[in-house]
Amino acid sequence: MIKKVNMKRFIYFFIFFLLLTLGLFYIMNTLSSRTLQESLVNASKNQLAYAEEIIDGAISEASMYGIQYTADNDVRFYQNRKLELSNYDAQMNKNEISGRLADQLFSSLAVESIGIYWKQDGTFIQTGHDSLAKLPFEQVTERGWQTYNNSLYYFSVYPYIHQPKNPANIEYIVGVKLKKEYLTGLLGKAVNGDSSNAFFLVNDSLVISSKPVDSRIEEKARATVTPDPQQILKFDYHTGEDDYYVLSKYIEPIDTYLVTYTRMSDFLNPLNRNQQVFAASIIVILIIGLTVILMFYRNFYRNVHLLGKKFHQVEQGNYSTRISENPVNEFYTLFKSFNHMVLRTQNLFASLKIETELRRDAEVKQLQAQINPHFLYNSLFFIMSMAKSSPEAVMQMSKHLAEYYRYLTKLDRHDATLASELQLAGHFLSIMSLCKELHYEISLPPELGEHRIMPLIIQPIVENAIQHGIEELQGAHRVAIEVKALDEGALIIVADDGKGLTPDQLELLAARVGSEAPPEGSRGIGLWNIHQRLKNAYGELSGLRFFTNDWGGLSVMAYIDFSLDEGGDYEITDCG
């Protein structure tokens, strides 16, 4: 039979392959997105660290200026000299200090102005010309960084080494103001192009930035940042349209956070578009593939499946099956050839069945002709010899002989049952027991007696047991016929206590009986004939089997399968 094409498995495999491709692409896209994001985050961290280094330099510079002029002798002794000098000389001394401060700023990019304020008399020296520049100095109470009016200052007080606990004891204050433009310019070194922005968050209140800051991210940063100067902290922020990653670094000296945020969608959108294009391509391929599979199913698979189904019906013995479909393709010729082949096969088996029936009838008649003359001669000679001495024996012989030949003359293969075949064997054994010393037993379960079997199967085996077993061993005199139910059939065992066979002889006998051609000569032809008839009628398992029994003689075993009802599927096969 043509092997069935498993179309469902093919479709499942095709869909699985596409889903696997989509899954792999999804994993690759996810890994690519993650790698890209990690690269962007690392680049942003490096830029943030670089900007921090520059800010640290500006902080150090401003702190150095403050400490330098706090410890400067001209500044320290300015008030004392002011009292000793004339107004002109005092003004010249003041101008000299102011000039030195201004000269200091020529080489600085980060410092906007430097101022010195004496609290005792309110004297104020500065590098700029802002009239309000003195105001933040008047509010200073300690050394350090402070914010005033959105500007970042570093203040240093004198006495410097032992800072006064009481602000009233401070003699003068040196203040250094950082350029706001310089700080905002540094923010450009901490961002990745137009998709990023940065700002300073000073004292959790002041925001310094060169570009407008997203208020939502500003609020999130205020709630998230922590004063850890050792690490760059990261958190993600999601809006309805965009995804951001936010980095923050705490700059401890000025109590300020440098915060950068980058919109990831600008970098991931190209990847997402590629993923969408690829997914759409896979869907198109899936639709095309399913269309091709559907066409393949309609034009090929259904026809192959139908042909396989019809072949299976023929294999089961249904030779009347035909294919009525007429597809407009190559299968039309194939179906037509199939119908023609099955028709010829049906006709062939019909003629073969008739021939087999005739052959079986001829075989039975031939067996009857072979058995009757030899057995009849022996029985008649027994009657002649016992007529005067034992009339009772003659009467028993005549009775069994009459029953025996009546069965043979009226025998029809449809009338043979296990019970009738065993009765025939019983008549034969009774006749043989009158001629010689012979004891026999026949065991048949009542429920098996009415099952039909092929005729003349058991009696030839019994006759063979007497001729080739018991008669060739002096003192042998026992024959047993036992029938047992087995599965859907019956197991028939004929045993004798005769000569028996060696293992090599058993093997040789099995080979002779199982041969396709009949053995040469007359020895073994009867068992070979029975073996072939059993196989032809009931299958390979029903042939004869030989083994040595507990008596030391030979046991012959045959299996009859009642489910085949005398032939079944084998009824029209070669009888050999």
Side-chain angles (χ1 to χ4, degrees):
M1 188 184 74
I2 297 177
K3 186 176 180 180
K4 182 178 178 181
V5 181
N6 199 322
M7 196 66 180
K8 288 185 178 179
R9 289 187 180 179
F10 179 77
I11 296 175
Y12 292 157
F13 175 78
F14 178 75
I15 297 177
F16 170 77
F17 176 77
L18 291 180
L19 293 178
L20 179 63
T21 304
L22 279 174
L24 292 177
F25 179 78
Y26 174 78
I27 293 174
M28 292 177 61
N29 186 76
T30 302
L31 293 177
S32 300
S33 301
R34 186 177 302 172
T35 302
L36 177 60
Q37 185 173 359
E38 290 176 354
S39 299
L40 290 174
V41 171
N42 291 332
S44 298
K45 286 183 178 180
N46 292 334
Q47 290 178 295
L48 193 65
Y50 174 66
E52 182 190 11
E53 291 179 0
I54 298 177
I55 294 173
D56 288 341
I59 293 173
S60 299
E61 180 182 1
S63 302
M64 181 187 67
Y65 290 158
I67 296 171
Q68 175 184 344
Y69 287 103
T70 301
D72 188 87
N73 289 330
D74 291 337
V75 177
R76 288 175 57 194
F77 299 114
Y78 171 75
Q79 288 285 17
N80 296 331
R81 290 177 181 176
K82 179 180 178 181
L83 298 176
E84 297 173 357
L85 297 176
S86 63
N87 290 335
Y88 174 79
D89 291 336
Q91 183 63 40
M92 292 300 294
N93 189 20
K94 181 178 180 181
N95 293 340
E96 179 183 358
I97 294 175
S98 179
R100 288 176 57 194
L101 295 177
D103 292 340
Q104 194 76 49
L105 296 183
F106 285 136
S107 60
S108 176
L109 298 176
V111 178
E112 179 179 343
S113 64
I114 302 176
I116 304 175
Y117 173 69
W118 281 267
K119 297 189 65 174
Q120 184 176 359
D121 58 0
T123 302
F124 182 65
I125 301 175
Q126 66 168 330
T127 57
H129 304 285
D130 186 5
S131 60
L132 302 178
K134 186 172 65 172
L135 295 179
F137 288 80
E138 294 175 345
Q139 302 177 13
V140 174
T141 59
E142 60 182 355
R143 180 172 58 244
W145 287 91
Q146 299 181 25
T147 58
Y148 182 84
N149 196 23
N150 295 334
S151 296
L152 195 59
Y153 292 85
Y154 177 76
F155 293 108
S156 178
V157 300
Y158 187 85
Y160 179 78
I161 298 177
H162 301 288
Q163 179 175 302
K165 296 181 180 181
N166 187 355
N169 296 328
I170 296 176
E171 296 184 16
Y172 59 88
I173 302 167
V174 179
V176 182
K177 179 182 179 182
L178 293 181
K179 292 181 180 179
K180 191 173 183 179
E181 295 78 7
Y182 180 78
L183 293 175
T184 56
L186 287 179
L187 295 176
K189 301 181 182 298
V191 297
N192 287 321
D194 296 335
S195 299
S196 301
N197 196 8
F199 62 91
F200 288 105
L201 182 61
V202 184
N203 295 330
D204 291 336
S205 59
L206 175 63
V207 175
I208 300 176
S209 176
S210 59
K211 296 188 294 184
V213 178
D214 191 317
S215 60
R216 297 169 298 179
I217 296 180
E218 179 185 338
E219 293 298 325
K220 182 68 175 179
R222 292 179 188 275
T224 306
V225 294
T226 55
D228 186 358
Q230 304 299 324
Q231 296 182 357
I232 297 177
L233 302 180
K234 173 184 175 295
F235 67 89
D236 296 322
Y237 182 75
H238 306 282
T239 65
E241 300 176 354
D242 299 309
D243 295 330
Y244 296 86
Y245 68 87
V246 184
L247 302 177
S248 66
K249 183 66 169 68
Y250 179 64
I251 304 175
E252 186 175 14
I254 58 176
D255 191 23
T256 298
Y257 296 95
L258 175 56
V259 182
T260 67
Y261 60 92
T262 302
R263 186 168 55 246
M264 286 295 298
S265 55
D266 293 345
F267 300 94
L268 297 180
N269 281 341
L271 286 177
N272 294 333
R273 283 193 294 270
N274 290 339
Q275 184 180 16
Q276 292 172 358
V277 171
F278 181 82
S281 302
I282 290 295
I283 293 174
V284 171
I285 293 174
L286 176 62
I287 294 174
I288 295 175
L290 291 177
T291 303
V292 172
I293 291 174
L294 179 61
M295 295 177 62
F296 172 80
Y297 174 80
R298 295 183 59 183
N299 297 317
F300 179 78
Y301 171 74
R302 282 198 308 180
N303 294 327
V304 172
H305 180 66
L306 175 62
L307 188 61
K309 180 180 179 181
K310 294 298 182 179
F311 268 111
H312 181 70
Q313 292 177 0
V314 173
E315 186 182 41
Q316 297 299 318
N318 183 9
Y319 299 103
S320 62
T321 184
R322 298 291 185 271
I323 299 178
S324 59
E325 285 78 359
N326 295 314
V328 187
N329 51 35
E330 293 79 1
F331 281 93
Y332 174 76
T333 304
L334 184 60
F335 289 171
K336 186 177 179 181
S337 300
F338 172 83
N339 291 336
H340 181 67
M341 179 197 69
V342 174
L343 178 61
R344 294 193 61 184
T345 303
Q346 185 180 21
N347 294 335
L348 178 62
F349 273 97
S351 62
L352 183 60
K353 181 177 181 181
I354 296 174
E355 181 182 350
T356 303
E357 294 289 339
L358 296 175
R359 190 171 181 179
R360 283 183 174 176
D361 292 338
E363 184 182 56
V364 172
K365 293 178 180 179
Q366 182 182 9
L367 288 172
Q368 292 173 347
Q370 291 176 348
I371 296 173
N372 290 345
H374 177 73
F375 186 68
L376 180 59
Y377 297 155
N378 291 337
S379 300
L380 291 176
F381 280 122
F382 175 82
I383 293 174
M384 291 172 59
S385 62
M386 300 297 292
K388 295 181 179 181
S389 60
S390 180
E392 181 65 25
V394 172
M395 290 180 61
Q396 292 183 11
M397 174 64 76
S398 300
K399 177 183 176 182
H400 290 297
L401 191 61
E403 293 290 342
Y404 180 80
Y405 276 101
R406 183 172 62 177
Y407 182 84
L408 292 180
T409 54
K410 293 183 178 181
L411 178 64
D412 183 86
R413 68 182 186 88
H414 296 290
D415 298 331
T417 62
L418 262 176
S420 64
E421 284 293 293
L422 288 175
Q423 285 179 358
L424 176 65
H427 291 310
F428 177 79
L429 289 171
S430 296
I431 293 172
M432 296 304 297
S433 66
L434 293 172
C435 298
K436 62 184 69 180
E437 184 181 358
L438 181 66
H439 298 282
Y440 64 90
E441 294 179 2
I442 299 177
S443 174
L444 173 65
E447 66 272 11
L448 299 179
E450 296 305 316
H451 284 284
R452 292 186 299 116
I453 65 171
M454 293 186 68
L456 299 179
I457 293 295
I458 302 176
Q459 189 274 337
I461 300 176
V462 174
E463 183 176 357
N464 184 81
I466 296 175
Q467 291 180 356
H468 301 289
I470 293 177
E471 291 184 354
E472 294 188 5
L473 179 65
Q474 186 175 2
H477 63 282
R478 287 184 292 183
V479 175
I481 305 174
E482 183 179 9
V483 180
K484 299 178 181 178
L486 180 63
D487 296 333
E488 296 183 2
L491 192 65
I492 303 172
I493 302 175
V494 179
D496 66 74
D497 64 347
K499 179 181 179 182
L501 299 176
T502 64
D504 292 340
Q505 290 173 332
L506 285 173
E507 185 176 351
L508 179 59
L509 177 60
R512 287 168 58 88
V513 170
S515 175
E516 292 293 334
E520 297 180 359
S522 60
R523 190 174 182 86
I525 188 67
L527 293 179
W528 179 87
N529 200 324
I530 295 172
H531 180 75
Q532 297 299 323
R533 294 173 64 205
L534 286 172
K535 288 202 307 179
N536 289 335
Y538 304 106
E540 292 292 334
L541 295 178
S542 297
L544 297 181
R545 303 291 185 269
F546 308 97
F547 59 91
T548 301
N549 55 44
D550 295 338
W551 295 338
L554 181 66
S555 289
V556 181
M557 180 175 64
Y559 177 68
I560 306 297
D561 190 351
F562 297 140
S563 65
L564 299 181
D565 192 17
E566 194 183 344
D569 291 343
Y570 299 90
E571 189 174 6
I572 57 175
T573 58
D574 185 15
C575 294

